[in-house]
Amino acid sequence: MFKIVSEEISSGNTSYQILGSSKFTVLNSEIAKLRTEINPSLPNPLTTSILKYLDDQTVIALQCTHEATKDIKNLANWGVIVSPKHPGRKRVSGAFEKFKLESAWGISPHLVPVDSLHSPSGIISLAYQINGINLGAGGFAGMEGHALLAGFTSLENNFAEGLILIWTGYREEFSNCNLDSTNSQILEGYALAITKQKSADTNKRTRAGLNISWNKNAKNPAFVAPLSLENLFQIPDNFQTDWTFQIAINVLADFIPASI
Amino acid sequence: MDEEIWITGVGVGCPMGFSLAEFSKLLLEGKSAVRKVELFDITNHPSQIAAYIDEVPASKKIPNETFRSRSKAEQLYIHCMGQAIADADIEKELTRKNCGLLLGTGSDWLLSWEENFFLGGDNYKLPGRETAPYFQFAKDLYQIEGPVLQVSTACASANHSLIFGANWLKMGLVDICIVGACSINVTPITLASFGNLRALSRRNDAPEQASRPFDKGRDGFVLGEGGAIFILEKASHAKNRRASCHGKILGGGFSSDAFHPVIPNPDTSQIEIAIKNALNNSQTNLDAVDYINAHGTSTPVGDAGEANAIRNVFANQFRNIPVSSIKSMAGHALAASSAIEAAACLVALQQQAIPPTINLENLDPACDLNHVANTTVEKKLKRVVSNSFGFGGSNSCIVLGKA
C-alpha cells in the first residue's frame, strides 16, 4: 500500500545498508521488569541511580538498540538518533502534584535530564559507549520523519560511521485515557542500524537497504504515506518487499529488500 | 571545494536585546542581564536569579491581540523568525518548498504542559492534548513549506541546527534554510529542577555577579532564555539576489562523551575530538582561529574541562587565542544558548571586537587560557570558533567566518 513513487524525486539520492532492525512492544505494566532485565545485557550497564529514573521510552529504546545492534561489534564511531513521542508524562504528572504541595522543594532534579528530547539518545550513547553524534529528533506525534532527516544529514556529512535510529511511543497516546488506567497501554519501539552503502554493493545487496531521495524543486508533494511508528511496524522483519514513506515534503525513504 | 554558506539574515530576541544592534551594544559594553526573578513566587527556589524576557515585542505580521494570545515561546519564534526573514529580505521566497526549517529545541511539550498547569489545566494528564511544537505557529505564519527538522542535544541544540542547515544547502536539499533556536526557560518548574540539581548559582544577593565563567568563585550557571534565528544560503544564491552577508558558516564537528547524563567527563578527549572535527571540517588551521566563544557556563567542573580541552587542542598556540563566555552576561539559554552565541560571534566578526567574560576577577588556575576578561578587546577577526556542550554528553563546535 505504500509503494507509490509518484514523481521526480531524483535531485539527490543516497543509499544505506540495514545492518539490523528490531521492533518491540511492552505493556505499561511490564516496564518495571524490563527496566531491570535490560541492564545486564548492556555493554556499559547503567548505575542504579541512572536506571531507576529513566523514562519508559528510554527503556524500550535500550531494548530496541540491543536487538538491532547484536551483530555489530564496535559502535564507538557510530551515532544514535531517537525520536520519542513526548516522553516524561508520568514524572511530570507527579512533579506538578508535588509542586502544588511543596513548591520548588518538591521538584526532582532528574526532571530535565531524563525527560527531555535529548535524553533517550544520551542514555543509549552512554550504555553502548557510542562517541559519535547523539541527538533527539521530532518529539511530537507526526514528527517521526525527523529522525530520518537528521540521520541521513549525519551520514552524508560523515558525522558518524553508522547510525542507530529509534522511534518510540505509546500506541494509544492519542486516546483519551488518563494516567490511572495506563497499565494496559502498549509502549512501542522500532530501531534500525544503518551504514552508508558502499558503491560496489549497490547491485548485489546482501542486506536490505534504505534509499533516501529528494528533489528540492518537486512541484507537488509526493503522494506517499508518512513515516510513522505505526507504519514502520507494518514492515516485515525481513524487508522482503519495497516500502516507501514520505519523510518531508520533498524527501522519500524507500526500504528495499536484499537482492540476493 | 564546497561553496560558501552565507548567513544573510539574523533575528535576535533575548534579555540583552531584541535586535542584533541592541544585543551588540550591551554585549560589547559588558552589561549583565541577570536579575532577581519577578515572574513568579521564588520562595523555596535555591536559585532565585535569571536573565529573562519580560515581554516579546509585538509583531507587525499579525494583530497584537492574536500575538499576545500565543505563548511567550511562540511569540519569540515569531519575533526572531520575522526579524531574520525581513533582514534577509526573503519573505517572497518562502512559499517555495526549497526553503527548509531546522531548529534546535529542548522539550516543548514539558513547557507547554507546565504553562497549561499554571493556568489551571491538566493537559499533562491527557494524551492527545499536546500542542504543536512552539515553532509551528511561526512556520505557518510565514508559510514555510520545505523540509522541517527539530533536533535536540540539550544545550548544544542550536549548534547542531546551524551545522545541519549548512549541510542541507551543500547537499542540495534546499536553497534557503532557516536555522537557530528559541527557548523560554525561566519557569517555576525549570528553575526548581535545575536548582535542585545544584547546577545553578545561588549568589542570589548579587545577581549581576552570579555568572562568572572561569572565575575561582563560580558556583553554577544562571538560567537564561531567548533565541536567535538565522537565514542561510549558498553564496551563489545570495549573490544572485544581491543579499548581504553577515558572516559564513565554515564547518562544524560533534562527539559524545558517553560518560554520564549530566556530569561532564573529566577526560576531555571527546570535547577535543568535536573541536578538531570542526577545524578539519572547516579546513581551519590552529593558527587561523582568532577567537573562541566558549561554552563557559560558570559551573566548576564544566569550565575547567573546557579550558583543558582548549589547551590540549591548541597546544602551544592556546595563549594566542582570545577566549570569552557571553553566558557571564546573558545567562545560559539552554537549547538556544548556541544560537545566541552564534549571534555574538557575528557581532564580533562584524565589529572586529571580542565581547568579554564579565565577573572574571580571580581566574581559576584550572581554567588558564587567554581570557578576554571584563572589557571588550578590539582585534582583527576572520575565523571564530563557538563551543557548545549539552546534557547527554553531546559536544559540538562550529566555525564561523567573516563576511
Side-chain angles (χ1 to χ4, degrees):
Chain A
M1 73 189 270
F2 298 116
K3 184 73 177 97
I4 311 167
V5 180
S6 63
E7 54 169 324
E8 75 287 18
I9 301 286
S10 60
S11 72
N13 192 298
T14 188
S15 297
Y16 308 108
Q17 283 188 80
I18 298 175
L19 299 191
S21 68
S22 69
K23 59 178 81 162
F24 200 76
T25 59
V26 62
L27 286 172
N28 196 34
S29 56
E30 295 167 348
I31 291 167
K33 187 164 171 262
L34 179 62
R35 186 182 297 270
T36 51
E37 284 177 353
I38 184 71
N39 208 34
S41 65
L42 300 175
N44 182 37
L46 302 168
T47 61
T48 306
S49 62
I50 293 174
L51 187 67
K52 69 182 179 183
Y53 290 115
L54 297 183
D55 185 79
D56 299 346
Q57 294 192 54
T58 305
V59 174
I60 200 164
L62 283 166
Q63 175 67 29
C64 288
T65 304
H66 178 66
E67 292 294 317
T69 62
K70 60 189 175 194
D71 296 331
I72 305 168
K73 285 179 183 160
N74 186 357
L75 292 168
N77 295 323
W78 278 52
V80 55
I81 296 175
V82 185
S83 181
K85 271 189 268 189
H86 14 84
R89 190 189 303 279
K90 277 186 194 168
R91 193 182 328 271
V92 165
S93 301
F96 290 168
E97 297 306 320
K98 284 191 86 175
F99 192 89
K100 280 182 191 167
L101 299 171
E102 303 170 29
S103 75
W105 288 351
I107 298 300
S108 164
H110 302 283
L111 191 64
V112 176
V114 303
D115 293 321
S116 298
L117 181 54
H118 73 270
S119 306
S121 64
I123 290 294
I124 289 165
S125 76
L126 168 60
Y128 284 84
Q129 293 293 284
I130 293 169
N131 294 124
I133 194 166
N134 94 73
L135 59 84
F140 284 79
M143 289 169 65
E144 292 97 320
H146 290 212
L148 263 182
L149 272 177
F152 95 94
T153 306
S154 299
L155 287 175
E156 290 311 294
N157 293 284
N158 300 313
F159 295 144
E161 210 174 84
L163 275 177
I164 306 160
L165 303 174
I166 305 163
W167 294 264
T168 63
Y170 277 98
R171 184 179 293 176
E172 295 177 30
E173 183 70 11
F174 275 86
S175 68
N176 222 19
C177 49
N178 73 32
L179 290 167
D180 300 331
S181 59
T182 55
N183 275 346
S184 60
Q185 280 195 311
I186 295 169
L187 182 60
E188 297 176 318
Y190 188 92
L192 289 171
I194 60 173
T195 58
K196 277 186 95 165
Q197 182 91 41
K198 287 175 188 163
S199 54
D201 297 336
T202 305
N203 297 321
K204 201 175 179 185
R205 287 186 312 274
T206 55
R207 294 177 182 275
L210 170 61
N211 189 52
I212 308 281
S213 51
W214 63 92
N215 183 353
K216 67 184 175 187
N217 297 315
K219 291 190 180 88
N220 298 299
F223 184 67
V224 182
L227 185 130
S228 67
L229 186 53
E230 184 185 3
N231 288 344
L232 285 169
F233 259 74
Q234 295 190 44
I235 303 175
D237 292 341
N238 55 6
F239 299 94
Q240 81 271 34
T241 54
D242 282 15
W243 293 73
T244 302
F245 302 112
Q246 187 168 7
I247 59 174
I249 193 160
N250 49 7
V251 187
L252 293 183
D254 291 282
F255 289 85
I256 306 161
S259 58
I260 58 167
Chain B
M1 191 169 172
D2 284 337
E3 191 176 342
E4 287 182 340
I5 303 300
W6 283 16
I7 298 170
T8 57
V10 182
V12 174
C14 73
M16 295 181 71
F18 286 93
S19 68
L20 194 62
E22 284 179 16
F23 176 63
S24 171
K25 185 171 182 294
L26 290 188
L27 192 69
L28 298 179
E29 284 176 358
K31 294 275 171 65
S32 171
V34 181
R35 56 194 163 130
K36 198 91 172 170
V37 173
E38 293 179 351
L39 295 170
F40 46 84
D41 180 13
I42 50 173
T43 311
N44 296 342
H45 280 265
S47 178
Q48 303 181 339
I49 54 179
Y52 61 92
I53 292 170
D54 288 311
E55 187 174 88
V56 180
S59 165
K60 290 177 187 166
K61 184 83 176 166
I62 51 172
N64 193 43
E65 198 178 333
T66 310
F67 183 75
R68 295 292 168 212
S69 71
R70 310 308 303 189
S71 71
K72 201 194 269 187
E74 289 174 306
Q75 292 175 19
L76 191 58
Y77 266 118
I78 295 166
H79 169 81
C80 291
M81 213 180 279
Q83 197 174 75
I85 287 167
D87 184 33
D89 191 20
I90 55 154
E91 184 153 8
K92 59 183 178 295
E93 311 260 347
L94 291 181
T95 53
R96 291 157 48 186
K97 284 174 285 191
N98 59 357
C99 176
L101 183 62
L102 212 164
L103 300 167
T105 188
S107 283
D108 290 4
W109 59 90
L110 294 180
L111 286 170
S112 75
W113 287 339
E114 180 180 353
E115 199 173 14
N116 173 265
F117 168 74
F118 284 110
L119 291 171
D122 60 358
N123 283 358
Y124 63 98
K125 284 184 178 175
L126 298 165
R129 282 195 187 172
E130 282 69 36
T131 53
Y134 285 130
F135 70 75
Q136 187 72 39
F137 189 85
K139 174 190 172 289
D140 293 344
L141 187 65
Y142 286 99
Q143 298 176 54
I144 296 160
E145 292 190 358
V148 175
L149 171 55
Q150 176 165 264
V151 295
S152 180
T153 51
C155 305
S157 299
N159 257 3
H160 285 73
S161 88
L162 268 77
I163 296 163
F164 275 36
N167 284 309
W168 274 13
L169 291 165
K170 288 178 184 175
M171 291 159 65
L173 183 63
V174 291
D175 289 329
I176 297 169
C177 201
I178 301 175
V179 300
C182 292
S183 191
I184 293 298
N185 306 313
V186 184
T187 69
I189 304 287
T190 306
L191 189 68
S193 183
F194 278 109
N196 293 340
L197 189 61
R198 304 189 71 84
L200 298 180
S201 170
R202 301 186 179 199
R203 203 181 280 253
N204 294 325
D205 52 353
E208 293 184 356
Q209 294 158 38
S211 184
R212 39 200 319 117
F214 309 114
D215 187 85
K216 250 185 186 174
R218 67 193 187 278
D219 69 333
F221 74 82
V222 171
L223 198 59
E225 62 187 13
I229 296 292
F230 306 90
I231 310 297
L232 308 185
E233 299 171 66
K234 277 185 175 175
S236 56
H237 190 272
K239 285 175 186 168
N240 278 346
R241 57 180 205 87
R242 298 184 180 181
S244 56
C245 177
H246 285 279
K248 300 165 188 172
I249 296 183
L250 302 178
F254 310 110
S255 70
S256 295
D257 280 354
F259 176 71
H260 192 274
V262 175
I263 302 168
N265 193 343
D267 169 357
T268 60
S269 55
Q270 288 302 325
I271 293 180
E272 293 160 32
I273 286 171
I275 298 172
K276 286 176 185 171
N277 285 345
L279 297 177
N280 289 337
N281 182 247
S282 62
Q283 300 177 347
T284 301
N285 292 328
L286 295 179
D287 60 3
V289 175
D290 297 315
Y291 163 55
I292 298 172
N293 181 292
H295 184 57
T297 55
S298 185
T299 58
V301 178
D303 289 2
E306 183 177 13
N308 186 61
I310 290 171
R311 287 193 300 268
N312 287 346
V313 170
F314 292 92
N316 54 4
Q317 310 234 23
F318 85 88
R319 291 210 181 278
N320 301 328
I321 305 171
V323 177
S324 72
S325 168
I326 71 155
K327 290 189 180 80
S328 58
M329 297 175 270
H332 190 349
L334 306 179
S337 61
S338 43
I340 295 169
E341 284 153 28
C345 288
L346 293 183
V347 169
L349 288 163
Q350 288 174 346
Q351 305 287 326
Q352 297 287 284
I354 299 172
T357 303
I358 66 166
N359 302 317
L360 182 45
E361 293 160 349
N362 194 2
L363 177 66
D364 179 353
C367 300
D368 182 25
L369 293 169
N370 178 12
H371 290 284
V372 177
N374 303 310
T375 311
T376 292
V377 167
E378 291 185 3
K379 186 178 188 291
K380 283 190 177 174
L381 304 172
K382 285 185 181 170
R383 284 183 184 230
V384 304
V385 159
S386 182
N387 292 334
S388 275
F389 317 126
F391 278 179
S394 281
N395 304 310
S396 73
C397 178
I398 188 168
V399 183
L400 298 163
K402 186 174 180 291

